[in-house]
Amino acid sequence: MKPFLLLATRAEDAAADDEYLAYLRYCGLEESELVRVRLEAGPMPAINLDHYSGVIVGGSPYTSSDPVEEKSPAQLRVEAELSTLLDRIVEQDFPFLGACYGVGTLGVHQGATIDRRFGEPVGPAEIKLTAEGERDPLLAGLPHTFDAFVGHKEACSKLPGHAVLLASSAACPVHMFRIKNNLYATQFHPELDVDGLVTRITIYKDAGYFPPHQAEELIETARQTSITEPMRVLRNFTERYAR
């Protein structure tokens, strides 16, 4: 099998490694089957899509809708590199799944409006599938409504006409969409279980997602939550596109 490619942007080793392990676990892959490139660490290497089964973009501390003058040189480089890669991915309709940061990257690339109108606090949210979502193979086996962990400063407030809305929440109208047949983005985190969210709350408590003094309360809420369904998106992705 050709491996999948995970494009990551988390500078903290603990967060980056925990994310990678979560994708291995819930995608059902071995380390040799999921190649990780940490884009925040240096320029994107040459990527030959023919060498991979699909591309996954993990979550990120980067916020696409921030003013250009507030973005770091690393963020500007990563955004330019991802946009250039997406030119090829979209043209080929090459299997792509962007989780959380995927809404910002694929959404911006395809002309969606990405802003801070529909950010959601860190914690569980009820996700509801649209009629198109219930028919989509990447959501096969998921119930009409399910809980997933979220935590995002920005979101998509308007999709382009050629995008297909697959899932929403009460607070965020675009939680998952599809472009063409094989390009997907989720706002919720399909890789996050309770332990994963606790790790991120601890690491990112000073990153502006929530007041730092709320960290312990958020951890307690997470520990009382059962998240079992969104991970199916990852297994559906790898099983559908492995080649």
Side-chain angles (χ1 to χ4, degrees):
M1 186 193 87
K2 295 181 180 181
F4 288 84
L5 175 64
L6 174 64
L7 299 176
T9 57
R10 298 188 184 279
E12 303 83 3
D13 288 343
D17 291 344
D18 189 70
E19 178 183 66
Y20 180 59
L21 291 173
Y23 276 108
L24 289 175
R25 180 165 59 253
Y26 291 120
C27 287
L29 300 174
E30 302 295 330
E31 288 190 20
S32 61
E33 297 171 329
L34 184 62
V35 175
R36 176 176 61 163
V37 174
R38 293 182 63 176
L39 297 178
E40 87 292 341
M44 181 187 292
I47 293 174
N48 186 338
L49 294 177
D50 290 338
H51 294 169
Y52 298 99
S53 289
V55 174
I56 300 170
V57 170
S60 178
Y62 298 151
T63 304
S64 300
S65 60
D66 279 349
V68 172
E69 60 273 15
E70 295 181 9
K71 295 179 179 180
S72 68
Q75 180 175 351
L76 291 172
R77 172 183 55 78
V78 168
E79 289 179 349
E81 291 170 343
L82 285 174
S83 180
T84 298
L85 179 62
L86 280 168
D87 288 342
R88 291 191 282 140
I89 287 174
V90 173
E91 180 182 11
Q92 298 180 33
D93 197 13
F94 187 81
F96 175 88
L97 176 61
C100 196
Y101 190 45
V103 168
T105 54
L106 183 61
V108 167
H109 187 273
Q110 291 297 292
T113 300
I114 307 296
D115 54 33
R116 293 190 176 228
R117 290 175 58 196
F118 298 108
E120 289 178 293
V122 172
E126 184 181 75
I127 311 299
K128 182 178 293 187
L129 301 184
T130 65
E132 289 285 354
E134 292 185 331
R135 292 191 289 267
D136 193 281
L138 224 62
L139 291 160
L142 277 80
H144 178 64
T145 60
F146 59 92
D147 287 341
F149 283 131
V150 303
H152 51 101
K153 301 173 185 177
E154 65 181 6
C156 177
S157 59
K158 184 179 180 182
L159 281 172
H162 62 285
V164 179
L165 178 64
L166 301 175
S168 304
S169 75
C172 181
V174 179
H175 253 289
M176 185 171 181
F177 66 88
R178 187 184 74 240
I179 300 291
K180 294 187 171 180
N181 294 314
N182 302 309
L183 314 172
Y184 293 88
T186 73
Q187 189 66 76
F188 63 86
H189 283 276
E191 85 287 3
L192 267 188
D193 54 20
V194 171
D195 289 341
L197 184 63
V198 169
T199 296
R200 291 195 194 167
I201 290 171
T202 303
I203 292 171
Y204 293 115
K205 67 179 182 180
D206 296 311
Y209 291 96
F210 53 86
H213 70 271
Q214 292 183 0
E216 289 304 318
E217 179 183 349
L218 292 170
I219 288 173
E220 181 60 26
T221 298
R223 293 198 184 283
Q224 296 176 10
T225 305
S226 176
I227 301 294
T228 59
E229 300 302 321
M231 297 81 169
R232 297 190 192 193
V233 172
L234 299 179
R235 183 59 69 94
N236 286 344
F237 183 77
T238 54
E239 289 183 350
R240 182 183 183 194
Y241 294 116
R243 60 193 179 101

